[in-house]
Amino acid sequence: MNTSFERCENTKVEWLSPPELVACLGEFDLDPCSPINAPFVHAKHNFTTLDDGLAKEWFGRVYLNPPYGRGMELWMEKLKFHGNGIALIFARTETKCFFEHIWNDADAILFVKGRIRFYHVSGVQGGTPGAPSVFIAYGKENAKVLKDCGIEGRFLALK
Ligand SMILES: C[S@@+](CC[C@H](N)C(=O)[O-])C[C@H]1O[C@@H](n2cnc3c(N)ncnc32)[C@H](O)[C@@H]1O
């Protein structure tokens, strides 16, 4: 089986968050973009492509690992306006997305040490991705959770 997560032309890959890492961040009310046949869930309520989680109203404490590629910034923008949640994305710190929705708006960032090995929808863990990851907190409480969560990395308060 090919467990590589490198992006291929015209291939949409589901990169699922390791549940053991999300568990370090406490309980979440909503994952707005969860796979249809999820091998595990990270929140009490889960939207899938069948619901279109981007169009729905978000509620409570949100865990967001958005669909990668074009349009990803729309999910980050929505979390920014929602103001309560933690996102997991690649540390593409030079991008428009970072400058429009993160650097001036998020409360804190945790730069993860090493590379996160994401899971396939089959529940099998994949190989090492080509980029480092960050957790991004919106809201003071979520920043505190990120600071104290025990995930190895470098914490940076932004507010
Ligand atoms: C990077 S994966 C993350 C999955 C899960 N949130 C996690 O952290 O393990 C992104 C997910 O978004 C889902 N997705 C894509 N577009 C969506 C939409 N409009 N509404 C809800 N889910 C969507 C995909 O099916 C995929 O499972």
Side-chain angles (χ1 to χ4, degrees):
M1 177 193 289
N2 175 14
T3 54
S4 166
F5 275 99
E6 295 306 315
R7 274 164 60 102
C8 307
E9 206 62 38
N10 299 324
T11 302
K12 284 200 170 174
V13 185
E14 304 244 12
W15 305 52
L16 309 190
S17 309
E20 63 276 13
L21 282 187
V22 184
C24 297
L25 303 174
E27 289 197 349
F28 289 93
D29 299 302
L30 176 68
D31 178 344
C33 49
S34 186
I36 290 170
N37 293 308
F40 36 71
V41 293
H42 307 299
K44 287 179 214 147
H45 301 271
N46 297 274
F47 295 148
T48 71
T49 49
L50 300 177
D51 307 299
D52 188 4
L54 190 58
K56 289 268 192 186
E57 191 170 328
W58 292 5
F59 52 86
R61 187 169 183 250
V62 170
Y63 177 73
L64 176 69
N65 170 12
Y68 291 84
R70 208 172 292 167
M72 192 269 269
E73 69 279 2
L74 297 175
W75 296 82
M76 292 305 294
E77 180 181 43
K78 185 148 176 151
L79 185 59
K80 171 181 79 175
F81 288 130
H82 180 66
N84 179 12
I86 294 179
L88 172 62
I89 60 172
F90 285 127
R92 309 270 194 222
T93 55
E94 85 288 14
T95 55
K96 191 173 162 203
C97 178
F98 258 81
F99 279 85
E100 290 196 350
H101 306 308
I102 297 168
W103 287 130
N104 297 320
D105 301 286
D107 287 77
I109 298 189
L110 177 66
F111 289 84
V112 177
K113 186 176 180 187
R115 296 277 162 98
I116 291 181
R117 290 177 55 217
F118 293 86
Y119 282 73
H120 293 271
V121 274
S122 63
V124 174
Q125 199 164 22
T128 310
S133 295
V134 285
F135 286 100
I136 298 168
Y138 292 88
K140 294 261 169 287
E141 282 303 311
N142 290 308
K144 185 168 170 5
V145 168
L146 215 49
K147 189 174 184 196
D148 300 335
C149 69
I151 296 173
E152 245 193 307
R154 177 57 69 105
F155 175 83
L156 178 66
L158 295 176
K159 286 183 178 170

